[in-house]
Amino acid sequence: MNVLLIGSGGREHGLAWKLAQSPVLTKLYAAPGNPGIGEEAELVALDGSDHAAVIDFCRSHDIGLVVVGPEAPLVAGIADDLRAAGFAVFGPSKAAAQLEGSKAFTKALCDRAGIPTARYRAVHSLEEARAALDEFGAPVVVKADGLAAGKGVTVAMTMAEAVGAIEQLFSESGASAVIEEFLQGEEVSLFVLTDGTTMVPFGTAQDHKRVGDDDTGPNTGGMGAYSPARVLTPELETRALAEIVAPTIATLSSEGMPYSGVLYAGLMLTADGPKLIEYNARFGDPECQVLMMRLESDLLPLMLAVAEGRLADTPAPVFRNDVALTVVMAANGYPGTPETGGAIGLSKVENARVFQAGTKIVDGALVASGGRVLAVTATGRTVEAARAAAYRAVDSIDFPTGFCRRDIGWREVARAALAK
């Protein structure tokens, strides 16, 4: 089977690496990809926003499945257009992808379905936002309503910080936001495959959003992750699936927009149980990389079963018991303006896999071309072992214009130490 993978980040490199291992695969294409993805797939110069060109490519290359990695093409409706042209797609429709494309859409769905989440107000002007801040007080959470590459959230610990966030957000015309109650607890990511009817758990992870050690500094797209996230116990996972994910899938289906693809639930584990923070309509980045390192099953048949509505008849995915941990190396300046063009040397890396994101080849050399550049990923029997292996690999990489956090996995390491 020929497969087209759309995307160019570390998430797509992880997917390409896993898809390339499938005995069912005939040829893997990636658009536009990156140098790392190019080691697993043939890169093609396709613009994912040009749906007609993507469809023409699929026709001329006998594509049996299209895997859409990032959220923007999904929110723009690429899955709808591909399905209308007769192609199987792993990824939700434009309507269902509103779960990620609009925070207000998701909160309203939670209201209709009785899904536990933070109290909120959807606001469409600076005046409405100020009134909502007066209602909630500080600490409070301010979220841009649309896509923001994981960086549209401000957890404001003071009113001054909250006011600054809304003033910046509403400095652009047409802006809208969601003002939310601040939830106390620990965050965790839960992944589920669904074809709109059947749902199958697909692992857990814990991300590290803040740019600096000790969870300091601004939010980013993610500076590292590990899997499994054992803080989400089997009992809590069962509750999250029953109280949050299943009602979401059922409500979308009953309202004529069945969800097909991977559903990524960002959860807060509160004293009252799991509550939904947000949904994403695709795999997380870098959570995808740690999930792929642990996945023993063939990914391609699973994705095809989702795309064709056959998930109920497909064996459940199997994951290794090992812990996988990834450390993101970013270009200096990220999450502001990153320093691009810095040379990267990977020749000394051992016992880890380096998934590439913001990279390109210039004059035969690998250089940084974006904010998050590498996801250095290792496995081990324990989180301590996986972390040690990942940081040994990080320290062997020659990337003088890059940086990383040095404390990825700190919560789980602390829990493991207490348990000894």
Side-chain angles (χ1 to χ4, degrees), residues 1-5 19-29 40 58 61-67 86-90 298-308 310:
M1 172 180 287
N2 294 340
V3 175
L4 172 63
L5 171 64
L19 286 168
Q21 299 171 29
S22 175
V24 181
L25 181 72
T26 303
K27 180 80 173 181
L28 179 61
Y29 299 94
E40 311 289 351
C58 292
H61 290 77
D62 192 27
I63 299 299
L65 177 67
V66 181
V67 178
F87 295 101
V89 185
F90 182 86
D298 188 344
L299 179 62
L300 181 49
L302 279 166
M303 286 184 154
L304 192 61
V306 169
E308 295 180 344
R310 300 182 288 100

Side-chain angles (χ1 to χ4, degrees), residues 349-362:
V349 174
E350 295 181 348
N351 301 316
R353 184 158 297 279
V354 180
F355 295 109
Q356 296 182 32
T359 62
K360 64 180 179 180
I361 300 293
V362 176

Side-chain angles (χ1 to χ4, degrees), residues 6 13 15 32 41 51 59 89 96 122 129 165 169 213-214 223 233 250 271 283 336 358 397 405:
I6 295 175
H13 190 180
L15 293 173
H51 298 185
R59 285 177 175 146
V89 185
L169 198 156
D213 286 0
D214 301 319
M223 294 300 294
T233 63
F283 283 108
I397 293 172
R405 281 182 57 162

Side-chain angles (χ1 to χ4, degrees), residues 2 12 14 21 30 32 45 67 71 90 92-93 96 119 167 206-207 226 254-255 269 315 319 338 399 409 412:
N2 294 340
E12 287 76 36
Q21 299 171 29
V67 178
E71 61 274 19
F90 182 86
S93 66
R119 291 187 302 112
E167 287 179 344
Q206 189 168 67
D207 189 15
Y226 66 90
S254 69
E255 295 179 355
L269 303 182
F319 289 87
F399 183 22
E412 190 65 15

Side-chain angles (χ1 to χ4, degrees), residues 17-398:
W17 172 73
K18 194 63 185 177
L19 286 168
Q21 299 171 29
S22 175
V24 181
L25 181 72
T26 303
K27 180 80 173 181
L28 179 61
Y29 299 94
N34 65 40
I37 295 172
E39 298 173 2
E40 311 289 351
E42 180 179 324
L43 303 186
V44 292
L46 269 179
D47 181 355
S49 65
D50 187 343
H51 298 185
V54 173
I55 290 168
D56 287 344
F57 179 88
C58 292
R59 285 177 175 146
S60 62
H61 290 77
D62 192 27
I63 299 299
L65 177 67
V66 181
V67 178
V68 185
E71 61 274 19
L74 294 167
V75 171
I78 192 171
D80 306 71
D81 290 343
L82 283 163
R83 289 188 179 106
F87 295 101
V89 185
F90 182 86
S93 66
K94 181 177 182 176
Q98 289 180 93
L99 281 180
E100 179 165 5
S102 171
K103 303 293 190 296
F105 172 88
T106 299
K107 296 300 263 186
L109 183 143
C110 289
D111 288 344
R112 297 195 302 276
I115 291 168
T117 188
R119 291 187 302 112
Y120 77 101
R121 290 290 179 269
V123 295
H124 306 283
S125 69
L126 184 58
E127 291 72 25
E128 289 182 358
R130 289 185 188 277
L133 291 185
D134 289 340
E135 176 185 349
F136 284 104
V140 67
V141 181
V142 179
K143 295 182 177 181
D145 188 37
L147 295 179
K151 293 177 282 186
V153 177
T154 298
V155 180
M157 302 310 292
T158 66
M159 284 298 284
E161 188 180 1
V163 169
I166 63 170
E167 287 179 344
Q168 181 178 3
L169 198 156
F170 284 101
S171 65
E172 299 180 13
S173 62
S176 58
V178 168
I179 311 297
E180 281 189 0
E181 164 195 22
F182 176 81
L183 293 177
Q184 292 278 3
E186 189 166 341
E187 291 188 40
V188 68
S189 302
L190 172 62
F191 297 85
V192 171
L193 298 182
T194 179
D195 56 11
T197 303
T198 300
M199 71 174 187
V200 176
F202 198 76
T204 62
Q206 189 168 67
D207 189 15
H208 298 65
K209 286 290 187 188
R210 301 278 187 162
V211 71
D213 286 0
D214 301 319
D215 290 331
T216 57
N219 272 344
T220 70
M223 294 300 294
Y226 66 90
S227 176
R230 294 193 171 95
V231 67
L232 186 67
T233 63
E235 294 77 15
L236 288 173
E237 181 174 344
T238 297
R239 281 191 64 182
L241 290 168
E243 298 172 15
I244 297 172
V245 181
T248 300
I249 294 169
T251 300
L252 287 172
S253 181
S254 69
E255 295 179 355
M257 41 187 164
Y259 191 101
S260 174
V262 60
L263 187 54
Y264 159 16
L267 307 174
M268 184 71 79
L269 303 182
T270 75
D272 299 322
K275 292 189 177 183
L276 180 70
I277 301 171
E278 64 180 5
Y279 274 126
N280 293 296
R282 36 70 191 180
F283 283 108
D285 188 346
E287 295 96 329
C288 181
Q289 292 88 309
V290 289
L291 291 174
M292 293 304 110
M293 289 287 280
R294 293 185 54 234
L295 180 64
E296 288 187 336
S297 303
D298 188 344
L299 179 62
L300 181 49
L302 279 166
M303 286 184 154
L304 192 61
V306 169
E308 295 180 344
R310 300 182 288 100
L311 193 55
D313 302 322
T314 302
V318 177
F319 289 87
R320 297 179 182 89
N321 289 326
D322 283 358
V323 175
L325 185 143
T326 191
V327 178
V328 169
M329 300 188 74
N332 288 340
Y334 179 78
T337 303
E339 180 179 346
T340 59
I344 303 166
L346 301 176
S347 62
K348 296 181 180 179
V349 174
E350 295 181 348
N351 301 316
R353 184 158 297 279
V354 180
F355 295 109
Q356 296 182 32
T359 62
K360 64 180 179 180
I361 300 293
V362 176
D363 297 329
L366 187 68
V367 302
S369 65
R372 293 188 298 166
V373 179
L374 308 171
V376 185
T377 314
T379 59
R381 289 184 60 192
T382 64
V383 67
E384 298 97 330
R387 181 161 85 157
Y391 278 112
R392 280 194 297 270
V394 164
D395 292 337
S396 74
I397 293 172
D398 184 14

